[in-house]
Every structure is written in C-alpha cells, then in structure tokens.
Amino acid sequence: QVQLVESGGGLVQTGGSLSLSCVVVGDTSSWYALGWFRQASGREREFVAAISRGGETRSYTTSVKGRFTISRDNAENTVYLQMNSLKLEDTAIYYCAAGRDSVVSGVDYWGQGTQVTVSS
C-alpha cells in the first residue's frame, strides 16, 4: 500500500517562503511521476506542479511559475515544493500526488494534505 506523507505547511506572511515535503512510503518513488495540487476553501482542487520520474521534466500552473520550484530526491523517496514570494491567493490545502504517468493525466495516490496560509 502506497502512502504519501506531507509536511512543511504553516502560516507565513505575504512575500515569505515555505517548503513542503512529501515522502513516498510503501513503494519506490522512482516508479512514479509526482506532483502537487491545492484546494482553496470553496474551490475545486487544482494542479500546481509536476515532475517526471527521473526529474528531467517539470511543469507548473501559470500562477506559480517563477515563484515555486518542484524537485525530487529518489534516494530519499521524497518530492519537494519550494514556494517563494507567497501571495494571499496561495492559501490552500496542498496535496502531494503520485501517478504512473504524469499526474496531470491521472493520479493514483493522494497525500492527506497540508495547510498553507498566507496572511497580509
């Protein structure tokens, strides 16, 4: 059974930074494409960033390009999301995702979510 365990959320002021981590437990992370989604209160879950199995290919939603960076360490079975220049609209629950192909085309496993709150 694959589990995704997230950490690193919290409260930060606008313009600040946070780093999220997600550990893949129960399987080898290099078998999966990984990514991050988020869901703000009253809104649908949306794609944030994705990274391929080997880390060669990364993609981002337009609103976070230049501010967020996704990376992975397959030796540690971990994917990261470095978030800089945070804005109020980045406030959401952030979910780690894993899929056999790109998470944009389909997600096989979800993490439990970690809250990110950006305050003015």
Side-chain angles (χ1 to χ4, degrees), residues 93-117:
I93 299 174
Y94 283 70
Y95 296 91
C96 180
R100 289 296 184 179
D101 297 311
S102 170
V103 295
V104 175
S105 58
V107 175
D108 294 311
Y109 302 101
W110 291 99
Q112 81 283 359
T114 185
Q115 178 71 47
V116 171
T117 303

Side-chain angles (χ1 to χ4, degrees), residues 3 35 63 106 114:
Q3 288 185 307
S63 63
T114 185

Side-chain angles (χ1 to χ4, degrees), residues 2 23 51-52 58 98 108:
V2 175
V23 179
I51 189 166
S52 59
R58 310 179 191 194
D108 294 311

Side-chain angles (χ1 to χ4, degrees), residues 2-113:
V2 175
Q3 288 185 307
L4 307 180
V5 182
E6 300 129 334
S7 61
L11 175 65
V12 65
Q13 289 188 323
T14 54
S17 298
L18 276 177
S19 181
L20 305 182
S21 300
C22 172
V23 179
V24 180
V25 179
D27 208 342
T28 303
S29 68
S30 60
W31 294 352
Y32 297 95
L34 298 171
W36 293 91
F37 289 70
R38 66 187 179 187
Q39 186 168 17
S41 180
R43 303 186 67 175
E44 292 187 354
R45 192 173 299 188
E46 64 172 357
F47 166 76
V48 176
I51 189 166
S52 59
R53 293 186 187 89
E56 316 86 3
T57 304
R58 310 179 191 194
S59 61
Y60 302 90
T61 191
T62 301
S63 63
V64 308
K65 283 182 181 177
R67 301 189 298 120
F68 290 12
T69 302
I70 188 170
S71 61
R72 66 189 294 163
D73 183 341
N74 286 340
E76 298 293 329
N77 274 6
T78 303
V79 62
Y80 304 95
L81 185 68
Q82 177 64 42
M83 304 183 293
N84 298 328
S85 302
L86 283 160
K87 304 177 180 181
L88 293 175
E89 53 264 40
D90 295 318
T91 295
I93 299 174
Y94 283 70
Y95 296 91
C96 180
R100 289 296 184 179
D101 297 311
S102 170
V103 295
V104 175
S105 58
V107 175
D108 294 311
Y109 302 101
W110 291 99
Q112 81 283 359

